[in-house]
Amino acid sequence: MGSVVHGNGGHAFVSASCPGALNGPAPEGRRLIGSYAEARRFLADPRNSRARLVQVPFGPASAMSVTEMDPPQHTYVRGLLGSAFSARAITRRAPTLLRRADALTERMRRSGVSCDVMAEFCVPFAYGTHCDVLGVPDEVRGELYRWSCARSAAPNARGPQLYRAETGLYRAVSNLFFSSRRLGGLLGELAAAHQGGGLSGQELTGLAASLFFDGHILASNQLANALLCLFVHPAHLDRLLSDPALLDATVEETLRYSPSITMGMTRVTPAGSRAAVAFGTANRDPHVFTEPDRFVPLRTGPRHLSFGWGPHHCLGAELVRAELRAALTVLFDRLPGLRPAAADDAVVWSASATVRGPQRLPVTWDRRVGARRLNRWCT
């Protein structure tokens, strides 16, 4: 099947009615787990190892990626990162998220009545927010973004390319730490841990560089997937616009129904075999979810597995939820009549072994100024 699946059609993509749209390419050398119950057991079982899987990392940052660790190293390193992504910390960031979303949306509005929302909003919003949490100075964000995408957004890249990209990312982060800048955010906290003897210089740089691997890429695609879910389900969009209290439930259902992650958390089992979770398939397990292939924001029952389960549960889960709330609030508030600008089959999407989303998402809106009736969503 290749390393990336491509297709056309927004409805076919979010509904996963075409091959590969949900899980990406067929996995090689590993068993894919699609059962919700088995996926939870697999993710929670401490005998399944990530560290045994990565014998030779791609580059100098992979060895310090928290997703590649087992306890006790994983427990220690996750403790260094956790406070920046806690629910309390993310709640404090809500006004900043709204301001960033408002600035990007205002730029879209002033440029006309149409754009590619993926390029003009989803990507800069997710990456800018990521950098805000990390405390990345504005003047180096562009360079780090280029290295980050070279390392993690090129699904056809092979070992030598990935190594060069990761080395470039590592070097850029090293230069940042050893410049005269005083860093804030999570990078500042990690630098303090290094100064206190909690991390070596190589561990500090490797860990910081690994934070640019794919978090913002998954987040930007999740924003676009959420928009597509609402575009292809206009009746629910109308209900949401009339009743902002539906926002949280809508966010969770977009995460279940059309996650940006395909499969992941490949681990070595005690028997020595390799297995990975197909998150989208587990999220549609008919033994767990009633009418799993329908978009039903008010559904009840177990939560989706789009952020994983167990000790490797996604560190950025609360941040992504907050980004989705802020983005949907501001986009539909500031751009009245926001809708696709092209026919459904003009939406081009891709799904790799890690991430799925539209490559472009052309939208249009009405020229009139919005009534700003949705601000209750994030008050």
Side-chain angles (χ1 to χ4, degrees), residues 242-301:
S242 299
D243 185 4
L246 296 174
L247 179 63
D248 286 346
T250 299
V251 164
E252 294 305 317
E253 181 68 347
T254 61
L255 287 161
R256 182 199 72 85
Y257 189 72
S258 191
S260 60
I261 191 170
T262 50
M263 49 188 163
M265 296 310 297
T266 301
R267 296 178 182 180
V268 178
T269 68
S273 63
R274 297 184 178 192
V277 173
F279 291 101
T281 301
N283 285 342
R284 297 191 184 203
D285 187 335
H287 296 98
V288 176
F289 300 99
T290 303
E291 297 184 285
D293 293 324
R294 286 188 60 219
F295 182 69
V296 184
L298 291 180
R299 70 170 62 248
T300 58

Short mmCIF file of all heavy atoms in Angstrom, two decimals, residues 242-301:
data_model
loop_
_atom_site.label_atom_id
_atom_site.label_comp_id
_atom_site.label_asym_id
_atom_site.label_seq_id
_atom_site.Cartn_x
_atom_site.Cartn_y
_atom_site.Cartn_z
N SER A 242 -26.62 27.26 17.78
CA SER A 242 -27.77 27.69 18.57
C SER A 242 -27.59 27.40 20.05
O SER A 242 -28.21 28.06 20.89
CB SER A 242 -29.04 26.98 18.08
OG SER A 242 -29.30 27.30 16.72
N ASP A 243 -26.75 26.41 20.37
CA ASP A 243 -26.59 26.00 21.76
C ASP A 243 -25.11 25.74 22.05
O ASP A 243 -24.63 24.61 21.93
CB ASP A 243 -27.41 24.75 22.03
CG ASP A 243 -27.37 24.34 23.51
OD1 ASP A 243 -26.77 25.09 24.32
OD2 ASP A 243 -27.93 23.29 23.85
N PRO A 244 -24.37 26.78 22.45
CA PRO A 244 -22.94 26.60 22.74
C PRO A 244 -22.63 25.58 23.83
O PRO A 244 -21.49 25.14 23.95
CB PRO A 244 -22.51 28.01 23.17
CG PRO A 244 -23.50 28.92 22.53
CD PRO A 244 -24.80 28.17 22.56
N ALA A 245 -23.63 25.21 24.63
CA ALA A 245 -23.39 24.21 25.66
C ALA A 245 -23.01 22.86 25.07
O ALA A 245 -22.51 21.98 25.79
CB ALA A 245 -24.63 24.06 26.54
N LEU A 246 -23.21 22.68 23.78
CA LEU A 246 -22.86 21.43 23.11
C LEU A 246 -21.38 21.36 22.73
O LEU A 246 -20.93 20.35 22.20
CB LEU A 246 -23.70 21.26 21.84
CG LEU A 246 -25.22 21.11 22.02
CD1 LEU A 246 -25.90 21.09 20.64
CD2 LEU A 246 -25.53 19.85 22.79
N LEU A 247 -20.62 22.41 23.01
CA LEU A 247 -19.24 22.47 22.51
C LEU A 247 -18.37 21.34 23.04
O LEU A 247 -17.69 20.66 22.27
CB LEU A 247 -18.61 23.82 22.87
CG LEU A 247 -17.15 23.96 22.40
CD1 LEU A 247 -17.05 23.92 20.89
CD2 LEU A 247 -16.53 25.24 22.94
N ASP A 248 -18.36 21.11 24.34
CA ASP A 248 -17.48 20.09 24.90
C ASP A 248 -17.80 18.72 24.32
O ASP A 248 -16.89 17.95 23.97
CB ASP A 248 -17.58 20.05 26.42
CG ASP A 248 -16.87 21.22 27.08
OD1 ASP A 248 -16.08 21.90 26.39
OD2 ASP A 248 -17.11 21.47 28.28
N ALA A 249 -19.09 18.39 24.23
CA ALA A 249 -19.49 17.10 23.67
C ALA A 249 -19.09 17.00 22.20
O ALA A 249 -18.67 15.93 21.73
CB ALA A 249 -20.99 16.90 23.83
N THR A 250 -19.18 18.10 21.48
CA THR A 250 -18.80 18.11 20.07
C THR A 250 -17.31 17.87 19.92
O THR A 250 -16.87 17.10 19.05
CB THR A 250 -19.19 19.45 19.43
OG1 THR A 250 -20.60 19.63 19.52
CG2 THR A 250 -18.76 19.51 17.97
N VAL A 251 -16.52 18.51 20.75
CA VAL A 251 -15.07 18.32 20.71
C VAL A 251 -14.72 16.85 20.93
O VAL A 251 -13.92 16.26 20.19
CB VAL A 251 -14.38 19.21 21.76
CG1 VAL A 251 -12.94 18.75 22.02
CG2 VAL A 251 -14.39 20.67 21.30
N GLU A 252 -15.32 16.22 21.94
CA GLU A 252 -15.01 14.82 22.23
C GLU A 252 -15.44 13.90 21.09
O GLU A 252 -14.73 12.93 20.77
CB GLU A 252 -15.67 14.39 23.54
CG GLU A 252 -15.12 15.09 24.77
CD GLU A 252 -13.61 14.94 24.92
OE1 GLU A 252 -13.10 13.83 24.70
OE2 GLU A 252 -12.96 15.95 25.24
N GLU A 253 -16.57 14.19 20.47
CA GLU A 253 -17.02 13.32 19.39
C GLU A 253 -16.16 13.49 18.14
O GLU A 253 -15.93 12.51 17.41
CB GLU A 253 -18.50 13.60 19.07
CG GLU A 253 -19.08 12.73 17.96
CD GLU A 253 -19.20 11.24 18.31
OE1 GLU A 253 -18.62 10.79 19.33
OE2 GLU A 253 -19.89 10.51 17.56
N THR A 254 -15.67 14.69 17.86
CA THR A 254 -14.76 14.84 16.72
C THR A 254 -13.47 14.06 16.98
O THR A 254 -12.89 13.48 16.05
CB THR A 254 -14.42 16.31 16.44
OG1 THR A 254 -13.78 16.90 17.57
CG2 THR A 254 -15.67 17.11 16.11
N LEU A 255 -13.02 14.02 18.22
CA LEU A 255 -11.82 13.26 18.57
C LEU A 255 -12.05 11.76 18.40
O LEU A 255 -11.16 11.02 17.98
CB LEU A 255 -11.39 13.57 20.01
CG LEU A 255 -10.75 14.94 20.23
CD1 LEU A 255 -10.79 15.31 21.70
CD2 LEU A 255 -9.31 14.95 19.72
N ARG A 256 -13.24 11.30 18.73
CA ARG A 256 -13.56 9.88 18.56
C ARG A 256 -13.78 9.53 17.09
O ARG A 256 -13.21 8.57 16.56
CB ARG A 256 -14.83 9.50 19.33
CG ARG A 256 -15.20 8.01 19.24
CD ARG A 256 -16.66 7.74 19.59
NE ARG A 256 -17.58 8.20 18.56
CZ ARG A 256 -17.92 7.48 17.48
NH1 ARG A 256 -17.42 6.27 17.28
NH2 ARG A 256 -18.79 7.97 16.60
N TYR A 257 -14.58 10.33 16.42
CA TYR A 257 -15.06 10.00 15.07
C TYR A 257 -13.99 10.20 14.01
O TYR A 257 -13.89 9.42 13.07
CB TYR A 257 -16.28 10.87 14.78
CG TYR A 257 -17.03 10.53 13.52
CD1 TYR A 257 -17.79 9.37 13.46
CD2 TYR A 257 -17.00 11.37 12.42
CE1 TYR A 257 -18.51 9.05 12.31
CE2 TYR A 257 -17.71 11.06 11.26
CZ TYR A 257 -18.46 9.90 11.22
OH TYR A 257 -19.16 9.59 10.08
N SER A 258 -13.16 11.24 14.17
CA SER A 258 -12.15 11.53 13.15
C SER A 258 -10.85 11.99 13.80
O SER A 258 -10.46 13.15 13.68
CB SER A 258 -12.66 12.59 12.16
OG SER A 258 -11.79 12.70 11.05
N PRO A 259 -10.16 11.09 14.50
CA PRO A 259 -8.91 11.48 15.16
C PRO A 259 -7.82 11.75 14.15
O PRO A 259 -7.81 11.20 13.04
CB PRO A 259 -8.58 10.24 16.01
CG PRO A 259 -9.18 9.10 15.24
CD PRO A 259 -10.46 9.65 14.66
N SER A 260 -6.88 12.61 14.52
CA SER A 260 -5.75 12.87 13.63
C SER A 260 -4.70 11.78 13.72
O SER A 260 -3.89 11.61 12.80
CB SER A 260 -5.12 14.23 13.95
OG SER A 260 -4.65 14.28 15.29
N ILE A 261 -4.70 11.01 14.78
CA ILE A 261 -3.77 9.91 14.91
C ILE A 261 -4.34 8.67 14.22
O ILE A 261 -5.56 8.43 14.26
CB ILE A 261 -3.46 9.61 16.40
CG1 ILE A 261 -2.29 8.64 16.52
CG2 ILE A 261 -4.69 9.11 17.14
CD1 ILE A 261 -1.75 8.49 17.93
N THR A 262 -3.49 7.91 13.56
CA THR A 262 -3.95 6.70 12.89
C THR A 262 -3.66 5.50 13.79
O THR A 262 -4.53 4.99 14.46
CB THR A 262 -3.27 6.54 11.52
OG1 THR A 262 -1.84 6.69 11.66
CG2 THR A 262 -3.79 7.59 10.55
N MET A 263 -2.42 5.05 13.78
CA MET A 263 -2.04 3.96 14.67
C MET A 263 -0.76 4.36 15.38
O MET A 263 -0.04 5.25 14.94
CB MET A 263 -1.85 2.66 13.88
CG MET A 263 -0.98 2.79 12.65
SD MET A 263 -1.01 1.28 11.67
CE MET A 263 -0.36 1.87 10.10
N GLY A 264 -0.50 3.72 16.48
CA GLY A 264 0.68 4.15 17.22
C GLY A 264 0.94 3.31 18.45
O GLY A 264 0.27 2.31 18.72
N MET A 265 1.94 3.78 19.19
CA MET A 265 2.37 3.12 20.42
C MET A 265 2.76 1.66 20.16
O MET A 265 2.42 0.76 20.94
CB MET A 265 1.30 3.21 21.50
CG MET A 265 1.01 4.64 21.95
SD MET A 265 2.50 5.58 22.37
CE MET A 265 3.15 4.65 23.74
N THR A 266 3.47 1.43 19.04
CA THR A 266 4.00 0.09 18.78
C THR A 266 4.89 -0.34 19.95
O THR A 266 5.73 0.42 20.41
CB THR A 266 4.81 0.06 17.48
OG1 THR A 266 3.97 0.47 16.40
CG2 THR A 266 5.34 -1.33 17.20
N ARG A 267 4.68 -1.57 20.41
CA ARG A 267 5.44 -2.06 21.55
C ARG A 267 5.85 -3.50 21.34
O ARG A 267 5.22 -4.22 20.55
CB ARG A 267 4.62 -1.95 22.85
CG ARG A 267 4.31 -0.51 23.21
CD ARG A 267 3.46 -0.44 24.45
NE ARG A 267 3.13 0.95 24.76
CZ ARG A 267 2.40 1.33 25.78
NH1 ARG A 267 1.90 0.45 26.61
NH2 ARG A 267 2.15 2.61 25.99
N VAL A 268 6.88 -3.89 22.03
CA VAL A 268 7.32 -5.28 22.03
C VAL A 268 6.65 -5.98 23.20
O VAL A 268 6.75 -5.54 24.34
CB VAL A 268 8.85 -5.38 22.14
CG1 VAL A 268 9.29 -6.84 22.19
CG2 VAL A 268 9.52 -4.65 20.99
N THR A 269 5.95 -7.07 22.92
CA THR A 269 5.24 -7.82 23.95
C THR A 269 6.22 -8.74 24.68
O THR A 269 7.35 -8.95 24.22
CB THR A 269 4.13 -8.67 23.33
OG1 THR A 269 4.72 -9.71 22.55
CG2 THR A 269 3.22 -7.81 22.45
N PRO A 270 5.81 -9.29 25.81
CA PRO A 270 6.70 -10.23 26.52
C PRO A 270 7.13 -11.41 25.65
O PRO A 270 8.21 -11.97 25.85
CB PRO A 270 5.84 -10.69 27.70
CG PRO A 270 4.90 -9.56 27.94
CD PRO A 270 4.60 -9.01 26.59
N ALA A 271 6.30 -11.77 24.66
CA ALA A 271 6.65 -12.88 23.77
C ALA A 271 7.62 -12.47 22.68
O ALA A 271 8.07 -13.31 21.90
CB ALA A 271 5.38 -13.45 23.15
N GLY A 272 7.93 -11.16 22.58
CA GLY A 272 8.86 -10.69 21.58
C GLY A 272 8.23 -10.23 20.28
O GLY A 272 8.94 -9.79 19.37
N SER A 273 6.92 -10.31 20.17
CA SER A 273 6.23 -9.84 18.97
C SER A 273 5.94 -8.35 19.07
O SER A 273 6.03 -7.75 20.14
CB SER A 273 4.93 -10.61 18.77
OG SER A 273 4.04 -10.37 19.86
N ARG A 274 5.60 -7.74 17.93
CA ARG A 274 5.29 -6.31 17.89
C ARG A 274 3.81 -6.10 17.64
O ARG A 274 3.21 -6.80 16.82
CB ARG A 274 6.11 -5.61 16.80
CG ARG A 274 7.61 -5.67 17.04
CD ARG A 274 8.36 -4.87 16.00
NE ARG A 274 9.79 -4.88 16.25
CZ ARG A 274 10.66 -4.09 15.65
NH1 ARG A 274 10.24 -3.21 14.74
NH2 ARG A 274 11.95 -4.16 15.94
N ALA A 275 3.26 -5.13 18.32
CA ALA A 275 1.84 -4.81 18.14
C ALA A 275 1.65 -3.31 18.28
O ALA A 275 2.46 -2.62 18.92
CB ALA A 275 0.98 -5.55 19.16
N ALA A 276 0.59 -2.80 17.67
CA ALA A 276 0.26 -1.37 17.73
C ALA A 276 -1.26 -1.23 17.80
O ALA A 276 -2.00 -2.15 17.43
CB ALA A 276 0.81 -0.62 16.53
N VAL A 277 -1.71 -0.08 18.25
CA VAL A 277 -3.15 0.18 18.38
C VAL A 277 -3.64 0.98 17.17
O VAL A 277 -3.03 1.98 16.79
CB VAL A 277 -3.45 0.96 19.67
CG1 VAL A 277 -4.91 1.39 19.72
CG2 VAL A 277 -3.11 0.12 20.89
N ALA A 278 -4.72 0.52 16.58
CA ALA A 278 -5.43 1.28 15.55
C ALA A 278 -6.48 2.12 16.27
O ALA A 278 -7.58 1.64 16.56
CB ALA A 278 -6.07 0.34 14.54
N PHE A 279 -6.13 3.35 16.58
CA PHE A 279 -6.98 4.17 17.45
C PHE A 279 -8.35 4.44 16.85
O PHE A 279 -9.36 4.37 17.54
CB PHE A 279 -6.27 5.48 17.77
CG PHE A 279 -5.07 5.31 18.66
CD1 PHE A 279 -3.79 5.32 18.13
CD2 PHE A 279 -5.22 5.10 20.02
CE1 PHE A 279 -2.68 5.15 18.95
CE2 PHE A 279 -4.12 4.91 20.84
CZ PHE A 279 -2.84 4.93 20.30
N GLY A 280 -8.40 4.74 15.56
CA GLY A 280 -9.69 5.02 14.93
C GLY A 280 -10.61 3.82 14.95
O GLY A 280 -11.82 3.95 15.18
N THR A 281 -10.05 2.64 14.71
CA THR A 281 -10.85 1.42 14.72
C THR A 281 -11.35 1.12 16.13
O THR A 281 -12.52 0.75 16.33
CB THR A 281 -10.03 0.23 14.19
OG1 THR A 281 -9.61 0.52 12.86
CG2 THR A 281 -10.85 -1.04 14.18
N ALA A 282 -10.48 1.26 17.13
CA ALA A 282 -10.89 1.04 18.51
C ALA A 282 -11.99 2.01 18.91
O ALA A 282 -12.89 1.67 19.69
CB ALA A 282 -9.69 1.16 19.44
N ASN A 283 -11.93 3.23 18.41
CA ASN A 283 -12.94 4.24 18.71
C ASN A 283 -14.30 3.91 18.09
O ASN A 283 -15.30 4.55 18.42
CB ASN A 283 -12.50 5.60 18.21
CG ASN A 283 -11.43 6.24 19.07
OD1 ASN A 283 -11.23 5.84 20.21
ND2 ASN A 283 -10.75 7.23 18.53
N ARG A 284 -14.31 2.96 17.16
CA ARG A 284 -15.56 2.59 16.50
C ARG A 284 -15.92 1.13 16.77
O ARG A 284 -16.62 0.49 15.98
CB ARG A 284 -15.46 2.85 15.00
CG ARG A 284 -15.25 4.32 14.65
CD ARG A 284 -15.42 4.57 13.17
NE ARG A 284 -15.14 5.96 12.83
CZ ARG A 284 -15.61 6.56 11.74
NH1 ARG A 284 -16.37 5.91 10.90
NH2 ARG A 284 -15.30 7.82 11.49
N ASP A 285 -15.44 0.62 17.87
CA ASP A 285 -15.74 -0.75 18.24
C ASP A 285 -17.24 -0.87 18.55
O ASP A 285 -17.74 -0.25 19.49
CB ASP A 285 -14.92 -1.13 19.48
CG ASP A 285 -15.04 -2.61 19.85
OD1 ASP A 285 -16.06 -3.24 19.49
OD2 ASP A 285 -14.12 -3.13 20.52
N PRO A 286 -17.98 -1.66 17.77
CA PRO A 286 -19.44 -1.75 17.99
C PRO A 286 -19.82 -2.41 19.31
O PRO A 286 -20.97 -2.30 19.75
CB PRO A 286 -19.91 -2.60 16.80
CG PRO A 286 -18.70 -3.38 16.37
CD PRO A 286 -17.53 -2.49 16.65
N HIS A 287 -18.87 -3.09 19.95
CA HIS A 287 -19.16 -3.68 21.26
C HIS A 287 -19.13 -2.63 22.38
O HIS A 287 -19.54 -2.91 23.51
CB HIS A 287 -18.14 -4.78 21.58
CG HIS A 287 -18.19 -5.93 20.63
ND1 HIS A 287 -17.32 -6.06 19.56
CD2 HIS A 287 -19.02 -7.00 20.56
CE1 HIS A 287 -17.59 -7.16 18.89
NE2 HIS A 287 -18.63 -7.75 19.48
N VAL A 288 -18.65 -1.44 22.05
CA VAL A 288 -18.49 -0.38 23.05
C VAL A 288 -19.35 0.83 22.71
O VAL A 288 -19.97 1.43 23.59
CB VAL A 288 -17.01 0.03 23.16
CG1 VAL A 288 -16.84 1.20 24.14
CG2 VAL A 288 -16.16 -1.16 23.60
N PHE A 289 -19.39 1.20 21.43
CA PHE A 289 -20.08 2.41 21.00
C PHE A 289 -21.32 2.07 20.18
O PHE A 289 -21.23 1.34 19.18
CB PHE A 289 -19.15 3.30 20.17
CG PHE A 289 -17.91 3.74 20.92
CD1 PHE A 289 -16.69 3.08 20.74
CD2 PHE A 289 -17.96 4.79 21.82
CE1 PHE A 289 -15.56 3.47 21.42
CE2 PHE A 289 -16.83 5.19 22.52
CZ PHE A 289 -15.62 4.52 22.31
N THR A 290 -22.46 2.59 20.59
CA THR A 290 -23.70 2.41 19.83
C THR A 290 -23.61 3.20 18.53
O THR A 290 -23.20 4.35 18.52
CB THR A 290 -24.90 2.90 20.66
OG1 THR A 290 -24.92 2.21 21.92
CG2 THR A 290 -26.20 2.66 19.91
N GLU A 291 -23.99 2.55 17.43
CA GLU A 291 -23.90 3.18 16.10
C GLU A 291 -22.55 3.89 15.94
O GLU A 291 -22.49 5.10 15.74
CB GLU A 291 -25.05 4.16 15.89
CG GLU A 291 -26.43 3.50 15.90
CD GLU A 291 -27.52 4.50 15.58
OE1 GLU A 291 -27.85 5.32 16.47
OE2 GLU A 291 -28.02 4.48 14.45
N PRO A 292 -21.48 3.14 16.00
CA PRO A 292 -20.14 3.76 16.04
C PRO A 292 -19.76 4.56 14.81
O PRO A 292 -18.91 5.45 14.90
CB PRO A 292 -19.21 2.55 16.21
CG PRO A 292 -19.97 1.40 15.65
CD PRO A 292 -21.41 1.67 16.00
N ASP A 293 -20.39 4.26 13.67
CA ASP A 293 -20.04 4.96 12.44
C ASP A 293 -20.85 6.21 12.21
O ASP A 293 -20.76 6.84 11.16
CB ASP A 293 -20.19 4.01 11.23
CG ASP A 293 -19.18 2.88 11.27
OD1 ASP A 293 -18.04 3.12 11.71
OD2 ASP A 293 -19.53 1.75 10.88
N ARG A 294 -21.66 6.59 13.20
CA ARG A 294 -22.42 7.84 13.12
C ARG A 294 -21.76 8.89 14.00
O ARG A 294 -21.19 8.60 15.05
CB ARG A 294 -23.87 7.64 13.59
CG ARG A 294 -24.75 6.89 12.61
CD ARG A 294 -26.19 6.93 13.08
NE ARG A 294 -26.67 8.31 13.19
CZ ARG A 294 -27.47 8.75 14.16
NH1 ARG A 294 -27.86 7.95 15.13
NH2 ARG A 294 -27.88 10.00 14.17
N PHE A 295 -21.84 10.14 13.55
CA PHE A 295 -21.34 11.28 14.31
C PHE A 295 -22.44 11.71 15.27
O PHE A 295 -23.44 12.31 14.87
CB PHE A 295 -20.97 12.41 13.34
CG PHE A 295 -20.38 13.63 14.00
CD1 PHE A 295 -19.12 13.59 14.58
CD2 PHE A 295 -21.08 14.84 14.00
CE1 PHE A 295 -18.57 14.72 15.17
CE2 PHE A 295 -20.54 15.97 14.58
CZ PHE A 295 -19.29 15.91 15.17
N VAL A 296 -22.27 11.39 16.57
CA VAL A 296 -23.31 11.63 17.58
C VAL A 296 -22.67 12.34 18.77
O VAL A 296 -22.23 11.70 19.73
CB VAL A 296 -23.96 10.30 18.03
CG1 VAL A 296 -25.11 10.59 19.00
CG2 VAL A 296 -24.44 9.50 16.84
N PRO A 297 -22.62 13.67 18.74
CA PRO A 297 -21.94 14.40 19.83
C PRO A 297 -22.52 14.17 21.22
O PRO A 297 -21.80 14.30 22.21
CB PRO A 297 -22.09 15.86 19.39
CG PRO A 297 -22.16 15.79 17.90
CD PRO A 297 -22.98 14.55 17.63
N LEU A 298 -23.78 13.83 21.33
CA LEU A 298 -24.39 13.66 22.65
C LEU A 298 -24.36 12.20 23.10
O LEU A 298 -25.08 11.83 24.04
CB LEU A 298 -25.82 14.19 22.65
CG LEU A 298 -25.95 15.71 22.52
CD1 LEU A 298 -27.41 16.14 22.53
CD2 LEU A 298 -25.19 16.41 23.64
N ARG A 299 -23.52 11.38 22.50
CA ARG A 299 -23.46 9.98 22.90
C ARG A 299 -22.90 9.87 24.33
O ARG A 299 -22.14 10.72 24.79
CB ARG A 299 -22.62 9.17 21.94
CG ARG A 299 -21.15 9.43 21.94
CD ARG A 299 -20.38 8.38 21.10
NE ARG A 299 -20.76 8.37 19.69
CZ ARG A 299 -21.41 7.36 19.14
NH1 ARG A 299 -21.77 6.31 19.86
NH2 ARG A 299 -21.71 7.38 17.84
N THR A 300 -23.29 8.83 25.00
CA THR A 300 -22.80 8.55 26.35
C THR A 300 -22.00 7.25 26.31
O THR A 300 -22.01 6.53 25.33
CB THR A 300 -23.96 8.42 27.34
OG1 THR A 300 -24.84 7.37 26.90
CG2 THR A 300 -24.74 9.73 27.44
N GLY A 301 -21.30 6.97 27.39
CA GLY A 301 -20.53 5.74 27.45
C GLY A 301 -19.05 6.02 27.58
O GLY A 301 -18.62 7.13 27.90
#
